Amino acid sequence: MDVVRLIFAAVVLVNFVIVGTYRRRAQAGEKFSLAEEGPLIAVPLRLLALAALAYIGTYLAAPGVVSWSLVELPVWVRAAGVFVGLAVVPPLIVWTQRALGTNVTTTVITREHHQLVTHGPYRYVRHPLYVLGLLLYLSLATISGSWVLGGAVVAGFAIIAVRTGKEEAMLLERFGDEYRRYRDRTGRFLPCV
């Protein structure tokens, strides 16, 4: 395996292990349902995620198969992708997941015991996990030089942007004025300036 793919694999492994560990703890015994999210969001989002994972696996195992989708990027761009994927995203994921605790879900649902999280990175933005997912996949796209992964980032974030509207409506219904005040002082994906 060449050095670039080895680094790519390290970024995937580190980040997926961190996210997987926190999700398993939070979702023990949870029944998965797409009803609240709706099929127009849930199905494309999950199909895109499966396609991205299949692409990542193919890139790692048989890069020749996806060579048509790779472009040459300057070394500094790839180095920036490595820095973001290994030095920036993992500690921010841990910070975000610790702040969320057991409030992590795979859909837009809120559980009976859900609490409104407004500390940690949630003090600044309402959806830091989505931002970190974007940064992670952007780092993978730049490390590999894959325009396909870059396109998947754009498509995935467009779906997530729609999904957050539904998620925020449910949070507003659940937490009322408390959520409204929180929403008014924080940014959706970037801190309010």
Side-chain angles (χ1 to χ4, degrees):
M1 183 177 284
D2 63 61
V3 173
V4 172
R5 284 188 304 130
L6 193 59
I7 293 169
F8 183 95
V11 171
V12 169
L13 183 64
V14 165
N15 287 286
F16 284 26
V17 164
I18 292 169
V19 170
T21 299
Y22 280 97
R23 282 200 179 251
R24 266 192 313 284
R25 285 184 202 156
Q27 295 167 328
E30 179 181 276
K31 292 194 173 154
F32 181 72
S33 169
L34 300 178
E36 281 87 2
E37 198 166 59
L40 294 177
I41 294 172
V43 172
L45 190 59
R46 275 134 188 104
L47 288 176
L48 185 62
L50 285 173
L53 290 174
Y55 181 91
I56 288 168
T58 303
Y59 173 75
L60 288 170
V65 175
V66 294
S67 62
W68 55 270
S69 65
L70 305 176
V71 296
E72 196 57 44
L73 294 175
V75 172
W76 70 268
V77 172
R78 288 182 178 212
V82 172
F83 177 75
V84 168
L86 287 177
V88 175
V89 173
L92 291 177
I93 289 174
V94 170
W95 186 36
T96 303
Q97 295 282 11
R98 284 187 175 165
L100 266 179
T102 58
N103 290 300
V104 178
T105 60
T106 55
T107 66
V108 297
I109 63 167
T110 55
R111 295 189 193 119
E112 186 177 319
H113 67 277
H114 250 117
Q115 300 171 356
L116 182 58
V117 177
T118 60
H119 62 281
Y122 290 88
R123 182 179 310 131
Y124 309 104
V125 292
R126 296 188 303 275
H127 303 284
L129 275 180
Y130 297 153
V131 174
L132 292 172
L134 171 73
L135 287 176
L136 172 60
Y137 279 94
L138 278 177
S139 78
L140 293 174
T142 57
I143 293 167
S144 63
S146 171
W147 61 265
V148 168
L149 281 179
V153 168
V154 173
F157 203 71
I159 297 168
I160 289 292
V162 172
R163 179 188 193 193
T164 57
K166 189 170 235 184
E167 185 174 346
E168 290 193 348
M170 293 179 81
L171 289 166
L172 187 57
E173 182 180 317
R174 173 76 181 269
F175 297 107
D177 286 339
E178 183 183 8
Y179 186 78
R180 188 173 287 109
R181 286 188 301 274
Y182 169 66
R183 182 191 64 195
D184 291 347
R185 71 175 186 268
T186 57
R188 184 178 270 190
F189 299 117
L190 296 173
C192 287
V193 180

